[in-house]
Amino acid sequence: MAEQERRDNILLEVRGLKKYFPIQRGLLRRTVGYVRAVDDVSLYVREGETLGLVGESGCGKTTTGRCIIRLYEPTAGQIHFKTTALSPNGDPQMVDLLSLDKERMKTVRREMAMIFQDPINSLNPRMTVFDIIAEPMEIHGMGRGPEVEETVVRLLEHVGLRPEHMLRYPHEFSGGQRQRIGIARALALNPRLVICDEPVSALDVSIQAQTLNLLLDLQKDFGLSYIFIAHDLSVVQHVSDRVAVMYVGKVVEVADVEHLYSRPLHPYTEALLSAVPKPDPLYKSERILMQGDVADPANPPSGCYFHPRCRYAQPICEREAPEFRELEPDHWVACHRAGELHLKGV
Amino acid sequence: MTANEPNEAKQPKKQISQSYWNLVWWRFKKNKLAIAGAIIVLSFYFVCALFAEFFAPYLLEHKSDYLEARPQWIHFVDPEGHFHLRPFVYGLEKKIDPMLRKRTYIVDTSKRYSIYFFVHGEPYKLFGLIPMDIHLFGPDPKDPEAYVFLFGTDRLGRDMFSRIIYGGRLSLLIGLLGQIMTIFLGTVLGAISGYYGGAVDMFVQRVTEFLAAFPDIPLFMALAAIIPPQWSPIWVYFMLTLILAIVRWGGLARQVRGMVLSLREREYVLAALSFGASDRRVLFRHLIPGAMSHIIVIATLAIPSMILAETALSWLGLGLRPPLTSWGVLLQEVSNVRAIRFAPWLLTPVPFVITTVLAYNMLGDGLRDALDPYGSR
Ligand SMILES: Nc1ncnc2c1ncn2[C@@H]1O[C@H](COP(=O)(O)OP(=O)(O)OP(=O)(O)O)[C@@H](O)[C@H]1O
Ligand SMILES: [Mg+2]
């Protein structure tokens, strides 16, 4: 029964997602190998919740997000999304996005949107704020009539910008304001799922909190679900209900925030957590310095990808890839030694 | 709302902001050299391309009895030291030089021909439509003996000054038209090649590489050779323009392709794609406008080479042919040392070609600096 309920609430479920970028060399552009940017990722997002997606730079978070919204064509996997756009009476219906044709995919795109990391590059410098926010509506054939203008005004007010400024160009706004324009654009079609790709990491620390709070308010007002991508755990902690930790194209641990932060099961999560600043300055904890660099996704190590940097590594870790298993209810981990270790949280 | 402060402080009233092109203009204005280039270029087009008949004292084919006459200087003061408000030129007297056995001219200060402004001269049709006979300046219309040849005359006694103005029309327009065709070919093919990639990209790239590797002049020659000689001058002109564009679009296409490749990864393009924007929309709304400023700069800087190519081809006898008259055609007259030695004024088209090329380069450099207001600040 509880299992059934859990199923019902799921908005997005990704299974076995893979994205390999070919590495091409030479005059004939022969493929000499693949960057396994995303290598067998499975995760799900419930309605109205935020799934944090964290990991060091280059571990495939952006690629995962872009595959979900089909900006990249995944190499393998399934992306099930609960959409109301395809049925005439608006009944929710689970569809595999990868099986949709272009026309139907476009319809479903109304229900998903993306917020980008770079507030400069994500707005076309030659378009006014109005044109930028109205563009999704234009793409979906709503024209540029008075309703569209009304929507733009309402969205601008929602994100805390002045509607009078809508004929200005992006370069006339500060970084935080530009990010708000990007947020307004993402909301233009009333999406259900918003993928936020490091929406605050390019902003001043002073503006980060403001923007995060705005995202939280909007989530409540519009009933949004978020996939919130970030590279450190401290930002994710404030906004997420559940957190997935990625390492070199794989999800190594998923759990809800409290469990993950207080009782991590994966040594990589523990290492990331040790870098989170503590609220109490007197509380001294050792920061776990990982040896070496993030593994190269074009040429990953054998067995568990993390073993060369793991301080608990055993011979088995080098030989066999660990299974991704549900060790505790709703707490998944991919580590041979997950049960036996007592790792430190915060 | 704290987030709004910076803008309010700067611009309390103005709500509609400066557009991109306003900014470009503002930056362009500050560049004196570019403004000078623009003025020269525009006035050349104004004089030669639009109003040649008005600015030239004679019609293109007007033949006088003075063959290979030297240029006449403009004077205000006569030999007696009297100042005349109306400028005048002295008459020319034919002499046979017994040593060289050649016709020469000496200045005859006893004959004075005043220059009149807005005179009624030979009739013409402005823009091929409006019948008129007013010329900016010319000799006294009532005196059939009077003449004024500021840059001398050619082998057939035609006024060089008038012919340079007429010749500029074709030379300047061939640069502009050829470049417009180049922009069209280069932008469309470059954008498609960069956006779609794959086999199309391969094909376009190989063709542009071939064009880049092939020396221009033989290619022009081969293509110019296929123009049937019996074609009317207008068709020859358009074919030549098209040939110039076909030979030259490759460079622009490669640049556009590169820009499209980099712009395609911009997050605003990804945003449009994430909402389901069509390829056409992405190309025409985001990619080509994003590359447009660079295209304009590249095109402006390439117009001179097109004018030079026309001049060179026509001089070689492979481009325009008389009765079409361009600066290159005019220079055909000086294809031997004799002409340069005895009638050096036939070279006067050269400074005009050079001035045009320099002015275009100044203009293009200014545009390049102005068109990227976000890039450099
Ligand atoms: N278009 C692409 N072509 C080839 N390789 C790519 C492409 N996009 C990403 N990659 C590679 O895939 C891997 C994952 O990249 P991705 O951008 O998803 O990482 P990320 O976790 O978002 O990192 P960051 O925190 O730096 O944004 C990297 O090694 C990257 O070099
Ligand atoms: Mg990223």
Side-chain angles (χ1 to χ4, degrees), chain A residues 172-191:
Chain A
E172 295 170 75
F173 294 89
S174 67
Q177 289 173 314
R178 282 185 226 184
Q179 202 54 302
R180 285 162 193 260
I181 297 168
I183 293 171
R185 171 179 62 191
L187 299 181
L189 295 172
N190 240 325

Side-chain angles (χ1 to χ4, degrees), chain A residues 27 66 69 71-72 102 106 109 112-114 116-118 121-127 131 135-136 138-140 144 160-162 164-165 167-169 171-174 177 180 185-186 189 210, chain B residues 1-8 10-11 14-20 23 202 206 265-279 281 285-286 289-291 293-294 371-372 374:
Chain A
L27 197 66
R66 290 183 182 174
I69 201 161
L71 277 174
Y72 293 160
K102 221 175 159 184
K106 184 174 169 183
R109 284 180 186 282
M112 34 193 1
M114 194 145 190
F116 293 88
Q117 172 173 4
D118 183 349
N121 265 334
S122 60
L123 308 176
N124 187 336
R126 285 170 181 72
M127 285 163 71
D131 287 337
E135 186 174 30
E138 223 175 275
I139 290 170
H140 284 270
R144 313 181 45 127
L161 290 174
R162 301 178 41 170
E164 306 93 274
H165 293 173
L167 293 181
R168 292 189 176 186
Y169 288 82
H171 68 96
E172 295 170 75
F173 294 89
S174 67
Q177 289 173 314
R180 285 162 193 260
R185 171 179 62 191
L189 295 172
Q210 263 185 23
Chain B
M1 197 77 238
T2 46
N4 283 327
E5 271 166 13
N7 281 309
E8 276 161 6
K10 257 191 291 177
Q11 299 175 310
K14 210 165 125 209
Q15 291 299 340
I16 292 180
S17 66
Q18 284 192 318
S19 78
Y20 172 73
L23 274 171
M202 270 297 219
R206 293 300 89 79
E265 296 299 316
R266 290 276 163 91
E267 289 178 339
Y268 63 79
V269 174
L270 295 177
L273 286 171
S274 79
F275 292 113
S278 62
D279 291 343
R281 185 186 179 85
R285 212 44 219 278
H286 296 287
S293 49
H294 295 262
L371 278 169
D372 208 9
Y374 311 121

Side-chain angles (χ1 to χ4, degrees), chain B residues 265-317:
Chain B
E265 296 299 316
R266 290 276 163 91
E267 289 178 339
Y268 63 79
V269 174
L270 295 177
L273 286 171
S274 79
F275 292 113
S278 62
D279 291 343
R280 198 165 44 120
R281 185 186 179 85
V282 170
L283 273 171
F284 289 99
R285 212 44 219 278
H286 296 287
L287 298 179
I288 292 179
M292 206 61 213
S293 49
H294 295 262
I295 294 173
I296 291 173
V297 170
I298 296 166
T300 310
L301 287 169
I303 289 178
S305 82
M306 214 157 248
I307 293 176
L308 287 173
E310 182 277 327
T311 308
L313 280 182
S314 299
W315 186 76
L316 288 170

Side-chain angles (χ1 to χ4, degrees), chain A residues 57-63 66 117 197-198 229 231, chain B residues 267:
Chain A
S57 184
C59 67
K61 309 175 298 282
T62 299
T63 309
R66 290 183 182 174
Q117 172 173 4
D197 189 356
E198 308 204 25
I229 298 172
H231 57 251
Chain B
E267 289 178 339

Side-chain angles (χ1 to χ4, degrees), chain A residues 236-247:
Chain A
V236 166
Q237 188 173 13
H238 295 292
V239 293
S240 304
D241 299 297
R242 289 186 313 120
V243 175
V245 180
M246 273 187 89
Y247 186 72

